[in-house]
Amino acid sequence: MKKILFICGSPVWGRPFPLPGMTILKKPAVEYCRRANELFKEQDMDWQVELANVEPEKFDELFKQGYDVFVFLPEGRTRLWMYQSELEKSGAYIYYLTMMEFHEKKVTKLVEYIKALEKSKTK
């Protein structure tokens, strides 16, 4: 099974965890992952989304755990510099959700991205 890690909120070094607002995002993030996994299963796709939940100082360890795709909220782009080299070393693909996708739990765009990724790998 191929693995996707949904990183809902990037770490801000030196700040306590969870960050203010992270608890607000946790419930919709869990629901987003649940819906995505249901759609993968319905479409007989060998993928699974997991939700990241780590302390900021352990964040870079996520990139060493063999994930195929990392999913970030739009704010992840602003902090990409903090873990760019770890992402590059992982060889994983990156998908950025829009806030509308996330809050409306539109998992179809992620599934389309995965399908396109699989198609490009078979060529």
Side-chain angles (χ1 to χ4, degrees):
M1 178 160 292
K2 296 175 189 138
K3 301 185 309 182
I4 300 170
L5 185 66
F6 182 15
I7 300 175
C8 182
S10 306
V12 177
W13 306 110
R15 299 273 313 267
F17 189 81
L19 300 173
M22 283 296 295
T23 52
I24 294 169
L25 297 175
K26 178 86 175 189
K27 187 175 180 180
V30 169
E31 179 64 17
Y32 184 91
C33 291
R34 185 189 67 74
R35 287 187 184 185
N37 286 329
E38 285 178 357
L39 191 54
F40 286 136
K41 189 174 182 178
E42 282 175 21
Q43 296 193 13
D44 201 28
M45 296 174 69
D46 193 28
W47 287 84
Q48 182 174 349
V49 182
E50 300 172 14
L51 183 61
N53 188 20
V54 297
E55 299 290 331
E57 60 271 6
K58 297 179 182 173
F59 196 76
D60 58 343
E61 294 174 17
L62 293 173
F63 304 114
K64 300 174 188 170
Q65 296 180 8
Y67 290 98
D68 299 287
V69 176
F70 291 102
V71 175
F72 292 92
L73 290 178
E75 53 80 24
R77 286 183 194 263
T78 63
R79 299 193 187 117
L80 187 60
W81 62 271
M82 292 171 33
Y83 38 80
Q84 181 69 42
S85 62
E86 287 87 355
L87 274 169
E88 289 172 0
K89 289 176 194 170
S90 75
Y93 293 88
I94 302 170
Y95 181 79
Y96 290 100
L97 292 171
T98 65
M99 281 310 229
M100 291 294 279
E101 264 180 277
F102 175 64
H103 288 292
E104 293 180 6
K105 292 147 196 87
K106 291 186 176 183
V107 297
T108 52
K109 287 189 176 185
L110 174 63
V111 173
E112 289 170 7
Y113 173 80
I114 297 299
K115 285 181 178 178
L117 187 63
E118 287 183 327
K119 190 175 182 179
S120 71
K121 284 184 173 183
T122 59
K123 288 183 178 181

